[in-house]
Amino acid sequence: MQRTTIIDALSSTELDRLINVRGWVRSRRGNKQISFIALNDGSTIKNIQIVADLSKFSEEQLKPVTTGSCISATGMLVKSEGAGQSVEIQLTELEVYGTANPEQYPLQKKGLSMEYLRTLAHLRPRTNTFGAVFRIRHHMAMAIHSYFHQHGYFYFHTPLITESDCEGAGQMFQVTTKDLYRLKKDEQGKIDYSDDFFGKQTALTVSGQLEGELGALALGKIYTFGPTFRAENSNTPRHLAEFWMIEPEVAFIDKKELMDIEEDFIKYCVRWALDNCKDDLEFLNQYVDKGLIQRLESVVDTEFVRLPYTEGINILQEAIRNGKKFEFPCNWGDDLSSEHERYLVEEHFRRPVIMTDYPKEIKAFYMKINEDNKTVQGTDVLFPQIGEIIGGSVREESLDKLNAEIERRQMDTTNLWWYLDTRRFGSAPHAGFGLGFERLMLFVTGMQNIRDVIPFPRTPKNAEF
Ligand code: 4AD
Ligand code: MG
C-alpha cells in the first residue's frame, strides 16, 4: 500500500479509509486492552496516534515497538475521541522495519541538553527541536531563492576553491594534494606550489563576493548561496568554520538603495517563516524561546535604524559615562564587538540597526571610500540576540582609488588582475552584501548556539560526522 505522510494524514478530511504510514516511534503507552503509539515521520512536528487493539495484536507482536524503532502501520483513519488530535489510526497491519533497543537507544529520555545532543548529531534530527529547526532551514533556503528570483536576480555560482582572500583576514583553509611530509621548498625556504594540483597555492573560499561582482557587472543583479569557510579560531555561539552565505551583488545602486534591499530581504525571509513554518515556530516558541514569535513579528513591522558608525560610538561612550560596563573598549576606530552591537540594538534603539560608514582600517579593501578619506560605505545589519547578521558595502568602482588602497595595504595583486579588469573596462557603481545563513537561522528559530542550526557543525577541533 502506498505511504501517506503524517502531515497529509493529519490534515485529511477523508476519513474511514485504510491508510499506511511509516515513521519512528516516539512513545508507546497503554493498558491490557489497548496500546497507543505516537508516530512521527519528519513531515511535521506533530505525531499521529496509532491505536492497537490487544485482542488483535499480542503483547509479543508489539514488544519491538519501542521509542526510536521504525515501523510501517496500516489501518483505518478515523476521527479521534481523544484530546490533542482530530484523527487517529486503528491498526490492522504492522511491520517493524528497525528495532531500537531501549537499553541502548540514546534518545530515550526527554530534556537532553543541547551539548549532549551535539554528540549525537547523527540522531538528533529525530528530536522535536531539531526536526523543527531543519524543516525551518529548508524553508528559509526556499525563501531566499524565491526573493531573488522574484526580484530579477540570477543565481550565480562562484567557486569554492580559490586563490584570493576576499576579506583579507588570512583565515583560509589551504587546498593541496601535496605530500605534506615531503614538501619541496625553494632557496628561501618557501614552498614551491608549481607542481601542486592547481600549479599555485589555493584555499577554500571565505566569500564568493569578488567573483559575484564579476557576475553583477555583466548580468546586473546576481546572488550566490553556498558554503564558505573560515579558519578563524573563534569558539563562540555565533561562529562556524563552515557556514552558508547568501551574497547578492547589484550594479547601479548606491548606499541608500543597498540598505533598502538588506532590510526588505531580511523582512521577507522572516515573514516567510511566519507564513510557512507555523507549527514548528509554535513548538520552538513554547519550548525553546518564549519570546520568539513576538520578536519575529516585531522585526517584520519595524523600520530598521540607520546609524553612522561615528554616531554609534558616541552613543556607546555616552552609555559608558552613564555607568554601562563593557568588556572591550570602543573608541573611534575600534571594531565593535557583539556586546556593543547588542547594546545598541537591544537596549538603546530596541530594533535592528543598519550601521554605516565605518573607519576604513577595520574593513576590507574593496569598500568605497567616503570623501573624508577616513570612512568607507559599509552597511552592516545588526540584530537582536545575534549582533551582526549581514555584512555589506558599496564597492569602490574607481580603478585609481582601488589601486591606491591596495598599495596602501601592501596587498599582492598578482592573483587579483581579473578583479581589477572590471574597473578597467566598463566599471560601474555597484554594491552588495553577505547574509550569514546560520545567523539568520539563529534569529528565526530562537536557538542559542550556531552549532544547533546546521545539521553537522564544523568548529575548531570538531569535524565529526
Ligand atoms: O561580514 P563578512 O565577513 O562579509 C563578507 O564576507 C562580504 N564579502 C560579504 C559581501 O559583502 N558580499 O561576512 C558576512 C556575514 C556576516 O555578517 C555573518 O552573518 C556571516 O557572514 N559570518 C559568519 N557566520 C558564521 N560563522 C562565521 N565564522 C561567520 N563569519 C561571517
Ligand atoms: Mg563583517
Side-chain angles (χ1 to χ4, degrees):
M1 196 176 182
Q2 207 192 339
R3 167 194 174 214
T4 302
T5 56
I6 290 174
I7 192 169
D8 287 346
L10 289 175
S11 60
S12 176
T13 48
E14 253 182 273
L15 299 184
D16 304 314
R17 64 188 170 105
L18 214 52
I19 69 162
N20 169 264
V21 293
R22 299 169 201 183
W24 293 269
V25 173
R26 284 293 161 80
S27 66
R28 183 163 72 89
R29 60 184 177 83
N31 52 37
K32 291 214 158 60
Q33 284 85 46
I34 201 158
S35 193
F36 298 100
I37 302 163
L39 195 72
N40 189 282
D41 68 358
S43 61
T44 163
I45 186 103
K46 293 182 177 153
N47 303 330
I48 198 160
Q49 173 160 287
I50 296 169
V51 187
D53 182 342
L54 293 187
S55 63
K56 294 180 190 136
F57 290 89
S58 67
E59 221 2 271
E60 204 49 39
Q61 269 176 296
L62 290 176
K63 207 168 160 217
V65 182
T66 56
T67 299
S69 64
C70 185
I71 64 169
S72 167
T74 305
M76 286 293 260
L77 183 68
V78 298
K79 187 168 177 292
S80 174
E81 303 300 331
Q85 72 256 335
S86 56
V87 296
E88 63 189 24
I89 293 173
Q90 288 171 344
L91 189 67
T92 52
E93 220 181 293
L94 172 72
E95 186 184 342
V96 177
Y97 285 141
T99 56
N101 183 342
E103 310 284 300
Q104 290 164 2
Y105 183 59
L107 296 180
Q108 204 81 238
K109 287 197 234 83
K110 283 189 188 316
L112 298 170
S113 76
M114 292 295 157
E115 287 77 11
Y116 179 61
L117 286 169
R118 252 169 248 152
T119 68
L120 301 173
H122 57 310
L123 294 172
R124 67 178 184 169
R126 294 194 204 165
T127 63
N128 282 330
T129 301
F130 287 93
V133 167
F134 298 142
R135 276 186 297 273
I136 294 173
R137 192 175 162 107
H138 159 81
H139 282 287
M140 295 326 289
M142 292 298 122
I144 286 156
H145 287 300
S146 161
Y147 179 87
F148 290 119
H149 182 66
Q150 272 178 23
H151 289 80
Y153 291 68
F154 299 105
Y155 185 20
F156 193 69
H157 295 105
T158 52
L160 299 191
I161 300 176
T162 176
E163 51 174 331
S164 49
D165 181 358
C166 173
E167 295 305 299
Q171 299 171 327
M172 303 183 87
F173 289 102
Q174 268 200 65
V175 174
T176 180
T177 52
K178 269 179 169 285
D179 179 350
L180 296 181
Y181 292 101
R182 261 174 289 159
L183 278 180
K184 202 166 85 192
K185 297 188 180 166
D186 65 13
E187 293 90 74
Q188 281 96 50
K190 277 193 161 174
I191 297 165
D192 177 6
Y193 286 95
S194 61
D195 63 347
D196 201 352
F197 189 90
F198 296 105
K200 48 177 68 158
Q201 188 178 11
T202 53
L204 295 176
T205 189
V206 296
S207 158
Q209 178 195 323
L210 300 187
E211 292 90 349
E213 286 185 50
L214 313 181
L217 293 175
L219 305 178
K221 296 197 227 182
I222 64 94
Y223 71 105
T224 72
F225 184 0
T228 48
F229 307 86
R230 298 210 181 165
E232 65 187 314
N233 199 6
S234 1
N235 253 307
T236 82
R238 279 179 299 276
H239 288 88
L240 289 167
E242 175 180 305
F243 64 99
W244 289 62
M245 188 157 39
I246 297 95
E247 297 186 271
E249 194 69 36
V250 187
F252 316 121
I253 59 166
D254 62 15
K255 188 175 78 183
K256 152 100 180 37
E257 291 165 298
L258 175 65
M259 290 191 283
D260 290 345
I261 298 168
E262 290 176 347
E263 182 167 344
D264 189 47
F265 168 57
I266 272 210
K267 286 179 172 172
Y268 180 95
C269 293
V270 175
R271 164 60 53 210
W272 184 288
L274 288 165
D275 290 347
N276 293 279
C277 309
K278 197 165 165 289
D279 291 344
D280 288 326
L281 287 179
E282 277 170 5
F283 173 85
L284 294 171
N285 194 66
Q286 189 174 348
Y287 294 103
V288 171
D289 176 352
K290 295 258 184 267
L292 176 64
I293 291 180
Q294 204 231 318
R295 199 160 56 244
L296 298 185
E297 279 166 352
S298 92
V299 157
V300 172
D301 293 335
T302 46
E303 209 176 304
F304 295 4
V305 176
R306 298 181 180 194
L307 177 77
Y309 168 92
T310 302
E311 281 177 39
I313 291 289
N314 290 342
I315 292 169
L316 290 166
Q317 289 185 339
E318 174 75 30
I320 291 170
R321 278 195 294 278
N322 292 330
K324 177 81 195 167
K325 295 262 182 296
F326 292 115
E327 190 183 340
F328 296 101
C330 57
N331 300 308
W332 200 96
D334 291 337
D335 207 354
L336 297 187
S337 56
S338 83
E339 56 173 346
H340 304 128
E341 295 169 345
R342 293 184 61 174
Y343 173 80
L344 292 170
V345 172
E346 288 164 28
E347 295 181 48
H348 187 82
F349 290 108
R350 293 172 181 276
R351 47 196 173 124
V353 170
I354 308 185
M355 185 168 271
T356 65
D357 304 289
Y358 289 83
K360 67 178 176 185
E361 310 298 339
I362 59 171
K363 290 292 184 189
F365 76 99
Y366 50 71
M367 293 195 186
K368 188 177 174 72
I369 299 175
N370 282 317
E371 306 249 295
D372 62 12
N373 202 25
K374 286 200 319 226
T375 57
V376 289
Q377 296 190 11
T379 58
D380 289 2
V381 181
L382 313 180
F383 250 47
Q385 316 279 316
I386 314 291
E388 180 189 330
I389 192 165
I390 278 181
S393 76
V394 180
R395 319 305 189 190
E396 183 56 71
E397 85 256 25
S398 145
L399 180 64
D400 289 344
K401 287 188 188 162
L402 195 56
N403 268 331
E405 189 58 24
I406 286 172
E407 203 163 304
R408 195 180 70 83
R409 291 175 188 243
Q410 299 179 313
M411 287 168 59
D412 180 8
T413 54
T414 41
N415 53 26
L416 273 184
W417 62 271
W418 44 272
Y419 184 74
L420 296 171
D421 255 10
T422 56
R423 275 52 173 183
R424 213 169 265 128
F425 308 119
S427 189
H430 63 289
F433 64 86
L435 168 77
F437 190 44
E438 287 75 19
R439 301 248 174 118
L440 175 69
M441 281 297 299
L442 278 177
F443 182 72
V444 168
T445 59
M447 298 293 283
Q448 295 297 308
N449 195 306
I450 200 160
R451 293 163 179 80
D452 300 329
V453 295
I454 185 166
F456 305 103
R458 297 292 177 250
T459 50
K461 302 277 180 289
N462 173 42
E464 204 163 20
F465 305 105

